[in-house]
Amino acid sequence: MALSLLRQTRCLCTLSRTVLAFQSRIGKRSYAERVDIRGGSLEPVVSAFCAVVGDDGVSLGATVREQHGKDESVHSCRLPDVVVWPRSVEEVSALAKICHHHRLPIIPFGTGTGLEGGVNAMKGGVCFSLRKMDRVLDLHQEDFDVSVEPGVTRKALNTYLRDTGLWFPVDPGADASLCGMAATSASGTNAVRYGTMRENVLNLEVVLADGTIIHTAGRGRRPRKTAAGYNLTNLFVGSEGTLGLLTKATLRLYGVPEAVVSAVCSFPSVQAAVDSTVHILQAGVPIARMEFLDDVMIDACNRYSALSYPVAPTLFLEFHGSDRSLEEQVSIAEEMTRENGGSDFSWARDAETRARLWKARHDALYAAVALRPGCKAYATDVCVPISNLPQIVVETKEDLIKNHLTGPIAGHVGDGNFHCLMVIDPDDPDELQRVHRFTERLARRALALDGTCTGEHGVGLGKRELLREEMGPLAMEVMQGLKATLDPKNLMNPGKVL
């Protein structure tokens, strides 16, 4: 046992020397670099972890650490020194106190479906994998709310709610953990009607860097609105694990709509399709989903999902409501699209056809990658005011063509948010550089149009400089002050966001 631990800790020492090259301006050396672990001094810390979560709740294995050092982004993996699996908020608190005492960085991990490198252990430390905390705790059907632990995913929650007449509509595509979605302020295809995580989280239980447990709206509180004190809940929504570990979320629920209708419509140009989006919203149609796919993206989806839509800029629409209200919504939307040259309008009422349609949309990233086998995908993410959406989408399309880049466009255009699903040859340095320059131009184009560099993916590692440009120095100082107050040792997911 001692020999095995010695070998593992020597491996960690080698790893930590690699991590040293990636220090941030405010961070400190990784735990493995601050102590001499060759002699087994990591053992007391590991023993303390085991005393809290048991031997099977701690791992030093290289494969396990690699699995927990990366997400779905293009950012290279940075391994934690240790992975732990707490099963309760009390265990999370106890583990955090050990990390705080020994100055070990803490990196929360949900399902690993993030897109900005948010789980990379830039300074080593301890990965808190929260998947074993997977209970639905409190369901209040009459109040339309529920509390869940961080291991509960959105699909698992909706399966649990299946016979209640309720559902949770925030849908980023991936089956992400709900607390992870809160941490990144996730969004998705339904945001145009139901909002993002920021609008749908009522309360959070949070473990701070020193192990303190707080409730952002007060213990057990779940009112639909409040004017009591600072909005701590939304401080932690979107904080990306840099301020604390989310161990419980109280969420809004909605009634399952009486009727649902989906539609697909093709357009002669990007401008015509996006103009239709603006006109439908300006007409006050309470549309539930409004997704845009350019001609390259719809071609990729046709190939990947065995569809036969015209290869042209396309809108996917969905309407929720009563049978009577849907007739009016559909009529107005169809009239608006035809005025903008829309054609090949097709409707889907049955659940099977609708599910197939939206599965194709959710598989867009994989469809894009299939255009260039052997390449990797990098999903960009910007958001602008609706009135500026036609301009930025057209300019982005022109930029892609001019620079010979493969970047199908897909987005939740109903709220001004869209993505370029860049397909990159990782062995082509020239292409990597062109993609990097393109993504910076795209983000700055959004900022110039009063938008944001990220509508839903978060800042993570890749957009820290752009965040500074977006927020300005004074707002950044306020954020850094909040971080220093809640996490003075800079242990919570260091190297991210700020």
Side-chain angles (χ1 to χ4, degrees):
M1 175 67 180
L3 180 59
S4 175
L5 178 63
L6 182 59
R7 286 173 178 164
Q8 290 170 326
T9 53
R10 283 176 175 164
C11 290
L12 290 178
C13 215
T14 301
L15 167 69
S16 61
R17 284 195 293 270
T18 303
V19 175
L20 181 59
F22 297 90
Q23 300 297 314
S24 74
R25 62 184 182 84
I26 61 173
K28 304 211 174 180
R29 293 177 301 165
S30 75
Y31 171 75
E33 291 167 324
R34 288 197 300 272
V35 296
D36 179 14
I37 60 176
R38 290 185 182 85
S41 57
L42 184 62
E43 185 171 2
V45 177
V46 173
S47 295
F49 289 158
C50 290
V52 175
V53 295
D55 293 348
D56 62 346
V58 182
S59 178
L60 295 168
T63 301
V64 173
R65 291 187 292 114
E66 184 176 358
Q67 291 171 344
H68 290 81
K70 60 184 178 182
D71 55 16
E72 296 293 331
S73 72
V74 296
H75 299 288
S76 57
C77 180
R78 298 289 179 266
L79 279 66
D81 298 320
V82 186
V83 180
V84 295
W85 288 271
R87 291 157 297 193
S88 67
V89 63
E90 291 79 16
E91 290 186 356
V92 173
S93 175
L95 292 169
K97 289 176 181 177
I98 296 169
C99 292
H100 191 261
H101 176 75
H102 292 279
R103 301 184 72 95
L104 283 82
I106 297 170
I107 306 97
F109 189 95
T111 57
T113 55
L115 293 167
E116 289 295 344
V119 300
N120 287 23
M122 301 303 292
K123 303 179 193 324
V126 183
C127 172
F128 282 54
S129 179
L130 302 172
R131 70 184 188 192
K132 290 186 178 181
M133 298 174 64
D134 59 358
R135 294 178 300 162
V136 176
L137 298 172
D138 297 295
L139 171 62
H140 301 95
Q141 291 181 238
E142 65 280 9
D143 295 324
F144 293 80
D145 65 65
V146 67
S147 295
V148 298
E149 289 186 323
V152 179
T153 67
R154 67 173 186 87
K155 287 184 179 179
L157 175 60
N158 280 325
T159 298
Y160 181 91
L161 296 171
R162 185 168 47 200
D163 298 324
T164 67
L166 302 174
W167 73 310
F168 184 71
V170 182
D171 177 6
D175 188 22
S177 64
L178 290 159
C179 282
M181 288 168 59
T184 55
S185 192
S187 179
T189 58
N190 287 314
V192 63
R193 176 161 182 169
Y194 299 100
T196 71
M197 289 301 289
R198 198 170 293 279
E199 291 79 43
N200 287 288
V201 178
L202 301 174
N203 199 351
L204 290 169
E205 179 183 76
V206 183
V207 176
L208 301 180
D210 64 357
T212 300
I213 303 171
I214 68 168
H215 297 83
T216 57
R219 182 184 291 272
R221 308 296 176 191
R222 48 189 181 86
R224 280 294 176 130
K225 64 180 182 180
T226 176
Y230 300 145
N231 192 340
L232 294 181
T233 301
N234 273 350
L235 174 63
F236 285 92
V237 173
S239 61
E240 301 185 41
T242 62
L243 300 179
L245 292 136
L246 309 188
T247 53
K248 182 170 70 173
T250 301
L251 308 170
R252 295 176 185 264
L253 299 176
Y254 297 80
V256 174
E258 175 187 326
V260 177
V261 175
S262 297
V264 181
C265 184
S266 302
F267 293 86
S269 67
V270 171
Q271 182 80 46
V274 182
D275 281 346
S276 289
T277 297
V278 176
H279 295 161
I280 291 171
L281 293 172
Q282 288 175 338
V285 178
I287 196 163
R289 304 196 208 190
M290 183 179 289
E291 299 290 295
F292 170 77
L293 285 75
D294 74 350
D295 55 331
V296 180
M297 188 72 262
I298 199 71
D299 183 43
C301 286
N302 278 346
R303 295 166 183 263
Y304 186 82
S305 300
L307 303 173
S308 57
Y309 295 120
V311 178
T314 302
L315 286 182
F316 285 16
L317 311 173
E318 187 165 279
F319 306 85
H320 296 176
S322 65
D323 286 324
R324 185 171 181 177
S325 68
L326 289 188
E327 289 181 10
E328 181 180 9
Q329 293 178 38
V330 167
S331 175
I332 295 173
E334 191 166 1
E335 180 182 351
M336 295 286 182
T337 56
R338 284 178 176 164
E339 287 178 356
N340 286 286
S343 60
D344 300 300
F345 217 95
S346 60
W347 296 97
R349 285 184 176 271
D350 64 285
E352 183 178 349
T353 305
R354 287 189 288 104
R356 187 163 177 258
L357 184 155
W358 289 110
K359 186 179 187 305
R361 168 61 186 91
H362 284 322
D363 287 344
L365 183 64
Y366 307 108
V369 174
L371 290 173
R372 297 179 65 189
C375 292
K376 293 186 176 180
Y378 169 54
T380 64
D381 164 47
V382 296
C383 187
V384 297
I386 295 293
S387 61
N388 291 331
L389 189 61
Q391 178 182 343
I392 191 171
V393 173
V394 170
E395 290 178 357
T396 299
K397 183 75 172 174
E398 292 171 350
D399 194 343
L400 288 165
I401 295 171
K402 178 181 177 181
N403 289 281
H404 308 288
L405 294 171
T406 303
I409 296 176
H412 322 307
V413 290
D415 54 13
N417 182 205
F418 74 95
H419 315 282
C420 291
L421 307 182
M422 308 304 299
V423 186
I424 311 167
D425 180 355
D427 299 320
D428 185 342
D430 176 66
E431 184 177 19
L432 290 171
Q433 185 65 24
R434 284 186 289 123
V435 167
H436 176 69
R437 290 173 179 169
F438 165 78
T439 56
E440 287 195 341
R441 287 195 302 273
L442 174 59
R444 293 191 170 99
R445 192 177 294 130
L447 296 181
L449 292 172
D450 304 323
T452 175
C453 67
T454 175
E456 60 184 15
H457 290 176
V459 175
L461 291 172
K463 293 187 174 181
R464 289 175 295 175
E465 185 60 38
L466 290 165
L467 178 67
R468 296 187 187 98
E469 294 180 25
E470 179 173 332
M471 301 302 298
L474 296 180
M476 290 302 298
E477 285 182 15
V478 172
M479 289 189 196
Q480 288 163 347
L482 290 168
K483 168 74 168 172
T485 298
L486 293 172
D487 181 20
K489 295 183 179 181
N490 188 34
L491 302 180
M492 293 303 310
N493 212 7
K496 316 296 169 50
V497 184
L498 301 178

